[in-house]
Structure formats: C-alpha cells, structure tokens
Amino acid sequence: MWKKIEWKNIIRGMMMGVTELVPGVSSGTLAFILGIYDRLIVAISEFFSKDWKKHLLFLAPLLIGMGISLKAFSTVVTYLMENYKQPTQFLFLGLIIGILPLLYRESDMKKSFNVKHYIIMIIAIIPVVLLEINRGPESDTILVMDNIGTFVYIFLSGWLASMAMILPGISGSLVLVILGTYVTATTALKDLNVPIIIVFGLGVLLGVILCSKIIKHLLYTYPKGTYATIIGLVLGSIYAVYPGISNSLWVNITSILSFLIGLFIVQFIGRKNKSMKM
C-alpha cells in the first residue's frame, strides 16, 4: 500500500497551499500547472466509490502537503504581502501568465475554438474581475463562534471559498476577503484555533466534493467549453493579481525579476508534465 502512495504529492500540495494564502491566486491554477488537475477532480468526485483506496492514496499526500504549507507559510506569506507586496504579486502574476501557453496548447485553441467558445471565455472573465472590483479593505475583525449565526457563516465561507479554490483562476482566499473571514481563517491556522479550523474545514470539504462532481461532468461532456471557461478565469485573475507599478525603481526591478522567475517556474514544470490532457 505504502509503495502506491505518490509521496511527491506532498510537495505539490505544499505549493498549492501557499497559493491559497494569497488573495487572487488559485490552487486550482497550480494543480493545472503541475499536471494533476484532471486527476484531482476525478479523485475528489469519485472518492465515495469502490475505487476510494486508489483516490485516497493520491489525495492524502496532497492534503498533508497543503496542511503543512498552510501552517508553516501563513506567517511568511503574510510578511511578504505586507512588506514586499508588489514583487510577491508579480511572482504569482508570472505563474498565472505562464500557464496561458500551456492552456492554449492543450485546448488546441487555434483549431478547435469558434465564436461560441470566445464568448464563453469573455463571460468567464467577468466574475473574477467583479470580485476584485468589489473587494473592500480586509477586515481585521476576528470572528468568534459564540452563536449559531457565526458558526453557519464560517461554515458557508469555507464552502464558497472551496468552490472557488478548485477552479483555476478564482481564488478561494479572495472570496474569504470579500466575505470578511480571511483574517479569521488565517489567524485560526496560525494560532491552531481548532474549533474554527474544523468548521471551516467541513465547509471546504462539502464545497470541494460538490464542485468537483460538476467540473468532472463538464470536463467530459463539454471539454472545449470548459477549456474556454478556464482560460477566461485565468485571464480574469491577471486583473485580480496585478498590483500596479511602484514609484521605486528598485521595487520595479525586483518585481520584473520575480515575474520572470514565475514564468520560468511554470515553463519548467510544464516541460516536466507534458502530458496534461483532461
């Protein structure tokens, strides 16, 4: 049994976990870059089937890696976003833009897309942009589960964030920011507030299972339309992540370097995962 576990998924999970700490970046995008998106969707959607052991062997190390990453890097990412926001955002911008050539190739966009698919792509851009436009200042309020209303709200926040998290291009953490529960969630992870983590976790679990079943159906029934939607979501996330240009020459130089590093990382991983068919 242990030989069948894909231990490298721990590293993949850690990479996906880091992205969920940054509002605007999706772990679904990283899963696609890593070449495991289709397997991830199938494993989650078919977990409660006769093949549950096989899916568990795939998912368990991913979840372990994400858990390690969320706990270990929550403070680091918060520090980088507070003190080096532009270079950090440009690193993720490089990751996002770097995935577009991979999507273009895998979707066979030039030959297989028609007007309908481009319309779908444009429509998919809109919700991501609107989420960012409606994004207010992050609330510093940390919710306390002292009544059923707060319990339900935290649960629903985890549910909605997880449905966004599994889609390439939409950030679960951005959804938490808009809902005003981002600080509550990250503080709970940092301080190991078990009750809040459990309630968030239950919401995330339910959202991921339901969303994965829908995505799996779309991937196999409407593959080109689904590709068009994913490309649109990724394009929209560029707007969400782009932090603007600084007045500091040094900050702009480091941002360019960070952007190029992000591009290089995606292309390097893409070459290692040439078979990314859905």
Side-chain angles (χ1 to χ4, degrees):
M1 177 179 177
W2 296 109
K3 292 181 179 179
K4 295 181 180 179
I5 296 178
E6 297 185 43
W7 294 108
K8 59 185 176 182
N9 276 358
I10 293 180
I11 304 299
R12 290 168 172 167
M14 291 178 68
M15 295 172 67
M16 291 167 62
V18 169
T19 62
E20 279 308 319
L21 293 168
V22 181
V25 183
S26 167
S27 59
T29 302
L30 256 292
F32 199 95
I33 293 171
L34 293 167
I36 61 171
Y37 187 73
D38 56 334
R39 294 179 63 196
L40 177 65
I41 295 299
V42 171
I44 296 172
S45 64
E46 296 183 358
F47 185 78
F48 297 103
S49 69
K50 62 180 181 180
D51 295 324
W52 67 270
K53 288 184 179 180
K54 179 182 72 174
H55 298 317
L56 178 62
L57 293 174
F58 174 77
L59 290 172
L62 274 178
L63 292 173
I64 291 171
M66 290 187 74
I68 292 172
S69 186
L70 288 170
K71 175 57 182 174
F73 295 108
S74 58
T75 302
V76 175
V77 172
T78 300
Y79 174 80
L80 289 175
M81 289 295 291
E82 289 177 351
N83 297 280
Y84 305 99
K85 182 175 182 179
Q86 182 173 308
T88 304
Q89 291 286 80
F90 267 90
L91 171 66
F92 285 104
L93 196 62
L95 293 173
I96 293 169
I97 292 177
I99 195 180
L100 290 173
L102 304 179
L103 287 168
Y104 178 86
R105 182 191 72 206
E106 293 303 318
S107 64
D108 197 17
M109 183 176 171
K110 186 176 181 179
K111 295 180 180 179
S112 63
F113 276 28
N114 54 37
V115 174
K116 176 182 68 176
H117 297 116
Y118 287 105
I119 292 174
I120 292 173
M121 190 188 306
I122 293 171
I123 293 174
I125 293 173
I126 296 173
V128 187
V129 173
L130 289 178
L131 279 174
E132 179 62 22
I133 291 175
N134 292 316
R135 173 182 174 182
E138 293 178 19
S139 172
D140 292 330
T141 303
I142 299 176
L143 301 180
V144 179
M145 289 195 302
D146 53 0
N147 58 69
I148 189 65
T150 305
F151 176 93
V152 172
Y153 190 69
I154 291 175
F155 176 83
L156 291 176
S157 295
W159 185 352
L160 294 173
S162 69
M163 293 177 71
M165 177 179 69
I166 204 169
L167 287 168
I170 297 184
S171 166
S173 52
L174 178 58
V175 172
L176 292 180
V177 169
I178 294 169
L179 294 174
T181 52
Y182 178 75
V183 174
T184 299
T186 53
T187 302
L189 287 169
K190 185 170 61 176
D191 298 341
L192 279 182
N193 188 322
V194 176
I196 290 182
I197 290 174
I198 290 175
V199 175
F200 260 119
L202 290 174
V204 168
L205 181 63
L206 180 60
V208 164
I209 291 173
L210 293 178
C211 190
S212 65
K213 291 184 179 297
I214 295 172
I215 294 174
K216 181 194 170 189
H217 172 74
L218 293 174
L219 285 173
Y220 288 98
T221 310
Y222 308 103
K224 298 305 177 184
T226 305
Y227 262 117
T229 303
I230 290 174
I231 293 172
L233 293 173
V234 172
L235 287 171
S237 69
I238 293 174
Y239 175 83
V241 174
Y242 178 66
I245 301 298
S246 172
N247 294 324
S248 168
L249 177 61
W250 173 246
V251 171
N252 289 330
I253 290 174
T254 54
S255 296
I256 292 172
L257 292 174
S258 297
F259 176 78
L260 293 175
I261 290 171
L263 284 177
F264 172 79
I265 290 172
V266 174
Q267 295 307 310
F268 176 78
I269 295 175
R271 286 195 293 270
K272 294 290 185 181
N273 299 280
K274 289 183 179 180
S275 177
M276 296 173 64
K277 295 290 183 183
M278 290 191 177

